[in-house]
Amino acid sequence: MISPVARRLRTVLAFALLIGLCSASAFADKAKSLYEKGRDAESRQKYEEAYQYFKQAYDLKPKMIAYRVSYQRTRFLAAASHVHQGQLLREAGKLQDAMAEFQKAVEIDPANFLAVQESRRTKEMIDQAGQPNAPPPVPDQVSDRLSRAQGPAELSGFAGDTPVTLNMSEDAKLIYQTIGQLGGINVLFDPDYQSQSRRIAVKLNNVTLREALEVVALESRTFWRPVTSNTIFVASDTTTKRNELSQQVLKTFYLSNLSAPTELQDVVNGLRTILEFQRVQPIPSLAAVVVRGTPDQIALAEKFIGDIDKAKPEVVIDVVVMQVRRDLERNLGIQPPTSASVALQGNTTTTTNSTTGQQTSSASNGQINLNKFSSLHATDFVVTLPQATANFLLTDAHTRVLENPQIRASNGAKASLKIGDKIPIATGSFQPGIGGVGINPLVNTQFNYQDVGVNVDITPTVHLDNEITLKLTLEISAVTGNSNIGGINQPIIGQRKIDHEIRLKDGEANLLGGIFEEQELKTMSGIPGLAQLPFFKYLFGSEDNKRTDNEIVFILVPHILRGPDLSPFNQRAIDVGMGTQGGVWLREGPRVRPASAPAGAPAAAPSATPPAATAPAVGVPGTQPPAQAPTTPPATAPAQNVFGAQPPPQQQQSAVPAGGPGRLAFDPAALSATVGSSFAVNVIVAGAQDVASLPLQISFDPAKLQLVNVSNGSFLARDGQAPVLTHRELPDAGTAQMTASRPPSAPGISGDGPVFTLTFIAKAPGTSNLIINRTSARNPGGNAIPLAGSQATVTIK
């Protein structure tokens, strides 16, 4: 007897077991449902969603291999999709959103090194952009030194582009110092050059400061290099001095488009041969080249590598193989018997039994007694006729074979496509059998496998005019039969092959070759004579007509996916020196000024000249500066030198009186200088109205003064449109003519300001007057504007 307590306990256990079984079933169904949802999301390329479903299914049933494989596969794909999305956001400038995508990729797949790398790179970009949420880096001492490491020294700003007009016949050191004063740069000399300096003659009109330095270096057989942003060092141009004083720069170039180790070696050989690098180290594992050389060599190496490290052009070739075959057969008529067979019946013998009285017959087929020949009649023969056949057959078969493979290939690389089978073909030594004893005639059996089907080999070459040269071999082959050779059945392979080289435009379809085969076969059979009658031929004969049309066409259509990426800079010729002991160097041109440059700044065009303030009057190193004079009023004071040099010496009184008609004057009107020093004088205008051009002639004592430079002032360039300066000097006569003209479509300028800046060198002690001889300003319409002239006094000690 079961107690009530035991009965209740049994009921509870049964109920718990039932609940457990139901839970396990629901648990299994949920995992399967999640797995099916993941497969559906993966088929729609929603990899992150599929990853989440597969992960949940795997967590529910970790022992299911299918769940685990799907989870691990989609984990990589989901992380890769976040990396791709982050790259797109970073290219769009959304650094924070890109950083979030990369971090999601790292959370999904911590082993994805690309996600970690892109996350670190994006963080560095955020730090450089000064994002407030980015923590500042804490570099160690070595990293800090590397972060503050500078590139090769060069002249700061646009100092090297200062226009210079120079006419001097002096010691080369003095000419160097004068050019330095015009550009606001310091000039240092090698101690060994102090005793080697010699007198040279230089006459330059409207050249940049760099060009003037290069010309002087060429004339004096010296060379110079920047030491700081406003200092150059001059030394004799010898191989020893260049090796001692040349700057050395270290740089690593990473090449991203190499496909073979020999290509990296070609780059290294080119650097050594063309650019004369002595220290070049290739790193094949990283496709990188580490070079050490002068700044000019490094700059040229960057152009050289940029010119040849290009992504190879790629093409896609559509190969269309079309075969159309039609077999038409018609067989009509009645095929009557065309032969008959006659057979002799065997003899029949009848025997009577005397006891019973019964008769017995026996026959012997094909046997007859000779005595019976005399009594043969029609019943002794049997005639056999074949049956007649009525033919009513019509067969019309169409066969269409289309092969349309697509091949993608890089420029100059062979691409192969093989669709079909490999057929074994026996090769070896053959000899006949011996005496019929069954010895196998095949000796040393070997087999080669031949590709049968559609075989395409293409080597493309992409040209700059969007044309492609294709060197190709196209073969269509099939096994058409077998042949017994030496006791071995060998396949008979039929082929259609094209092997040639063509040049096509992008997208141009070309018919490589076509084979058209037409075959007709007519067969007639029946009773002679009757089978040839027009109507009776279908009753006493049969006619069979067969027609076969077979056409095969090969078509090739190339498409350029990536063409040659050549910019005008890649095809530009660059001056790299004269092939002398100076080695490889660059001749730099003027820099392009930003559009926001101030109106008083020098223009970017080579013919433009800087304002008056850009020609400072600074004494030559080692000489006394000129005496200072009272300052001029603010309205006529020259602007500060944009190159960092000191302004011209200030004078004690203004050269232009307030009020009155328009006039020209020298500023300062009186100054003093020492022999060998240089100084600058501004020619300013006061009270001018609507001035578009201003021609001027001045005179001075050529025995005491030498005019070395004429530059534009800021007056006519007040609105940012640089005037054109022309200058002509007669040194022996002590006169100079100059004209500053605004662009033809520009309006006139009114007011006060400097028009020219004149730079002189004091040659001998004494006093010389600077006199404005002739002037006639003109407005945009070409009408004259009266201006009064003046003069200044220069005292040389």
Side-chain angles (χ1 to χ4, degrees):
M1 186 71 179
I2 301 176
S3 65
V5 176
R7 189 182 298 109
R8 290 178 183 178
L9 181 60
R10 185 174 60 182
T11 303
V12 170
L13 292 176
F15 185 71
L17 180 62
L18 180 62
I19 293 177
L21 293 175
C22 294
S23 300
S25 177
F27 193 74
D29 292 340
K30 183 178 180 181
K32 184 177 181 181
S33 176
L34 290 172
Y35 177 73
E36 294 298 332
K37 290 181 180 180
R39 293 183 60 184
D40 180 68
E42 184 181 8
S43 65
R44 290 182 282 112
Q45 296 184 353
K46 296 182 178 181
Y47 298 117
E48 184 179 4
E49 183 179 345
Y51 164 73
Q52 296 295 338
Y53 286 130
F54 287 141
K55 184 177 184 301
Q56 295 177 29
Y58 173 71
D59 292 339
L60 293 175
K61 300 196 70 175
K63 295 183 178 181
M64 288 293 294
I65 302 299
Y67 296 172
R68 179 179 180 181
V69 172
S70 299
Y71 156 66
Q72 292 179 343
R73 182 183 68 253
T74 53
R75 178 173 64 178
F76 170 78
L77 296 175
S81 65
H82 280 291
V83 171
H84 178 66
Q85 185 64 26
Q87 291 172 339
L88 296 178
L89 290 172
R90 186 176 61 195
E91 292 177 359
K94 301 177 180 179
L95 299 180
Q96 294 290 356
D97 296 339
M99 188 67 180
E101 292 291 334
F102 293 138
Q103 290 176 348
K104 289 180 181 178
V106 175
E107 292 175 1
I108 292 175
D109 188 4
N112 192 322
F113 179 74
L114 180 61
V116 177
Q117 187 180 34
E118 294 289 358
S119 177
R120 181 171 62 248
R121 180 182 174 188
T122 306
K123 182 177 181 299
E124 293 175 356
M125 296 176 65
I126 293 175
D127 295 341
Q128 293 177 0
Q131 297 291 339
N133 297 330
V138 184
D140 56 18
Q141 184 177 2
V142 175
S143 300
D144 183 57
R145 292 189 64 185
L146 288 175
S147 65
R148 291 185 288 108
Q150 300 296 316
E154 61 177 345
L155 298 179
S156 63
F158 296 90
D161 303 331
T162 305
V164 173
T165 298
L166 196 65
N167 186 4
M168 297 182 66
S169 179
E170 296 289 345
D171 186 89
K173 291 179 57 178
L174 181 59
I175 298 178
Y176 266 120
Q177 292 168 338
T178 302
I179 295 175
Q181 293 168 9
L182 296 176
I185 61 176
N186 303 314
V187 181
L188 304 178
F189 294 94
D190 182 46
D192 297 337
Y193 178 67
Q194 300 290 342
S195 59
Q196 301 175 4
S197 179
R198 59 190 181 89
R199 185 182 183 90
I200 61 173
V202 176
K203 186 174 183 180
L204 303 172
N205 291 321
N206 200 25
V207 297
T208 66
L209 185 139
R210 283 190 178 88
E211 293 172 341
L213 290 174
E214 294 297 342
V215 171
V216 175
L218 181 64
E219 288 286 339
S220 61
R221 298 182 181 178
T222 58
F223 76 97
W224 61 273
R225 71 171 182 86
V227 178
T228 65
S229 60
N230 64 343
T231 304
I232 65 173
F233 189 85
V234 180
S236 299
D237 191 5
T238 62
T239 303
T240 302
K241 284 297 180 182
R242 282 191 175 269
N243 293 335
E244 290 179 359
L245 301 176
S246 61
Q247 292 175 289
Q248 294 292 307
V249 180
L250 180 69
K251 185 169 183 178
T252 302
F253 294 96
Y254 292 92
L255 291 82
S256 58
N257 297 292
L258 297 182
S259 58
T262 57
E263 295 180 359
L264 181 61
Q265 189 60 43
D266 291 340
V267 173
V268 174
N269 294 338
L271 293 174
R272 289 173 176 167
T273 304
I274 299 176
L275 300 181
E276 302 177 5
F277 273 98
Q278 300 298 323
R279 298 175 177 87
V280 182
Q281 179 61 48
I283 311 295
S285 60
L286 297 177
V289 179
V290 182
V291 295
R292 176 184 171 188
T294 65
D296 289 349
Q297 284 180 306
I298 298 298
L300 290 171
E302 187 163 353
K303 172 176 167 46
F304 176 78
I305 293 177
D307 291 345
I308 62 177
D309 185 26
K310 299 287 186 181
K312 287 187 176 181
E314 292 187 32
V315 297
V316 167
I317 302 101
D318 291 325
V319 182
V320 182
V321 181
M322 295 183 295
Q323 179 178 4
V324 179
R325 181 185 177 96
R326 183 181 184 184
D327 296 323
L328 181 62
E329 180 179 0
R330 186 184 63 183
N331 190 349
L332 298 176
I334 297 175
Q335 183 69 36
T338 58
S339 63
S341 61
V342 179
L344 181 64
Q345 293 190 100
N347 294 329
T348 302
T349 304
T350 303
T351 304
T352 303
N353 193 333
S354 58
T355 304
T356 61
Q358 296 181 348
Q359 295 181 349
T360 303
S361 298
S362 62
S364 178
N365 293 331
Q367 297 180 358
I368 188 171
N369 295 327
L370 294 177
N371 294 330
K372 292 294 184 178
F373 274 105
S374 60
S375 60
L376 288 177
H377 49 81
T379 58
D380 294 322
F381 296 91
V382 177
V383 178
T384 303
L385 296 176
Q387 63 182 358
T389 302
N391 296 322
F392 301 97
L393 176 64
L394 177 64
T395 302
D396 190 356
H398 291 265
T399 303
R400 181 173 178 267
V401 179
L402 175 63
E403 294 283 353
N404 188 17
Q406 203 174 61
I407 302 176
R408 179 169 179 169
S410 298
N411 186 61
K414 180 181 177 181
S416 298
L417 175 66
K418 300 183 186 299
I419 302 175
D421 303 318
K422 284 185 174 292
I423 303 299
I425 299 177
T427 61
S429 302
F430 295 87
Q431 65 182 17
I434 303 176
V437 296
I439 297 178
N440 193 340
L442 180 63
V443 179
N444 191 21
T445 305
Q446 297 176 357
F447 289 92
N448 289 337
Y449 287 85
Q450 181 173 339
D451 295 309
V452 175
V454 179
N455 302 316
V456 183
D457 293 331
I458 296 181
T459 304
T461 301
V462 182
H463 304 284
L464 294 177
D465 53 358
N466 286 336
E467 292 188 356
I468 308 107
T469 295
L470 298 176
K471 184 177 181 181
L472 61 95
T473 299
L474 176 61
E475 177 184 328
I476 308 295
S477 58
V479 177
T480 59
N482 292 281
S483 176
N484 190 291
I485 302 176
I488 299 293
N489 283 331
Q490 299 281 31
I492 299 175
I493 299 175
Q495 64 175 195
R496 299 174 179 90
K497 184 176 181 181
I498 296 176
D499 189 352
H500 68 163
E501 185 172 335
I502 56 175
R503 181 163 177 166
L504 302 173
K505 293 183 179 180
D506 181 21
E508 179 182 359
N510 182 69
L511 181 65
L512 296 181
I515 300 175
F516 182 76
E517 179 183 6
E518 183 177 352
Q519 184 179 12
E520 291 187 6
L521 178 63
K522 184 175 182 180
T523 305
M524 185 176 62
S525 62
I527 300 175
L530 296 177
Q532 295 175 349
L533 296 178
F535 175 74
F536 293 98
K537 65 180 181 180
Y538 295 109
L539 298 177
F540 300 97
S542 177
E543 185 180 66
D544 188 5
N545 294 322
K546 292 183 179 180
R547 180 187 178 93
T548 302
D549 295 334
N550 187 17
E551 184 177 6
I552 299 178
V553 178
F554 306 112
I555 298 178
L556 206 65
V557 184
H559 303 280
I560 297 178
L561 292 183
R562 181 187 293 114
D565 184 16
L566 297 181
S567 64
F569 182 73
N570 296 139
Q571 306 178 59
R572 175 184 170 190
I574 294 180
D575 187 357
V576 295
M578 296 176 290
T580 60
Q581 62 184 3
V584 176
W585 51 267
L586 282 176
R587 184 171 63 86
E588 299 183 43
R591 303 186 183 186
V592 179
R593 295 184 179 277
S596 59
S607 60
T609 54
T614 62
V618 181
V620 178
T623 62
Q624 296 295 327
Q628 294 187 351
T631 58
T632 59
T636 60
Q640 290 295 323
N641 191 332
V642 296
F643 305 116
Q646 298 297 326
Q650 304 296 325
Q651 304 299 321
Q652 296 293 335
Q653 57 186 356
S654 172
V656 181
R663 62 172 298 178
L664 290 170
F666 289 103
D667 181 24
L671 55 87
S672 62
T674 58
V675 175
S677 66
S678 62
F679 60 91
V681 179
N682 293 328
V683 178
I684 62 176
V685 64
Q689 298 294 327
D690 199 22
V691 177
S693 65
L694 201 157
L696 181 69
Q697 178 177 317
I698 65 169
S699 61
F700 53 90
D701 186 354
K704 296 181 175 59
L705 298 177
Q706 179 181 354
L707 181 63
V708 295
N709 187 61
V710 178
S711 59
N712 270 321
S714 60
F715 176 70
L716 293 180
R718 186 169 294 172
D719 59 352
Q721 301 193 47
V724 177
L725 175 66
T726 58
H727 165 227
R728 180 185 178 189
E729 181 185 358
L730 300 175
D732 297 336
T735 60
Q737 297 177 353
M738 59 206 72
T739 301
S741 303
R742 287 174 56 78
S745 60
I749 299 295
S750 301
D752 307 335
V755 184
F756 302 101
T757 296
L758 312 178
T759 304
F760 293 90
I761 288 182
K763 298 173 61 178
T767 301
S768 176
N769 293 327
L770 302 178
I771 303 173
I772 299 176
N773 294 331
R774 294 196 304 263
T775 181
S776 58
R778 296 187 178 275
N779 60 18
N783 299 321
I785 301 174
L787 293 174
S790 65
Q791 66 179 17
T793 301
V794 180
T795 303
I796 305 173
K797 300 178 181 179

